[in-house]
Amino acid sequence: MASIRASAADRMAGFMSMHDLAVTTTPVPDAGPIDVIWVRPQPSEDPDSQDVLIEHRAPTSWDDRIVRPAPEAVSLFWRFVREKWGIEALER
């Protein structure tokens, strides 16, 4: 969440639940389907699994999803944001 605030707070909006993060571009439309990138833990039968699901849900139904280990989640999230919305993370 910190990298979003630092890089794109003026171009993206989102919310967090206990386990999930949902992000969309701004301004958020008043009606209709919304283009969203979800970041959530991936359910697994392995209790030690730390896999994360990054999922782009598009109004066109051309959805993408990928599961990777938790340490890769932030870079994968920014790859989705760059590819889907053309928004770059600020280099730190």
Side-chain angles (χ1 to χ4, degrees):
M1 199 66 168
S3 68
I4 296 169
R5 283 190 201 106
S7 296
D10 60 333
R11 295 170 286 164
M12 295 191 309
F15 72 89
M16 290 178 66
S17 70
M18 182 180 274
H19 302 288
D20 302 338
L21 167 67
V23 178
T24 190
T25 55
T26 59
V28 179
D30 291 333
I34 297 174
D35 198 21
V36 176
I37 294 176
W38 286 93
V39 180
R40 49 178 69 131
Q42 179 63 29
S44 172
E45 293 183 19
D46 176 4
D48 295 325
S49 174
Q50 293 186 357
D51 288 346
V52 175
L53 169 67
I54 310 285
E55 181 175 33
H56 175 243
R57 302 294 306 254
T60 61
S61 295
W62 288 92
D63 301 338
D64 280 328
R65 59 187 303 167
I66 192 164
V67 175
R68 290 290 185 270
E72 298 176 25
V74 173
S75 61
L76 183 59
F77 167 81
W78 280 109
R79 188 185 97 195
F80 267 56
V81 169
R82 184 176 55 255
E83 289 177 2
K84 307 304 179 185
W85 301 331
I87 298 172
E88 294 282 343
L90 293 179
E91 295 296 322
R92 294 177 73 115

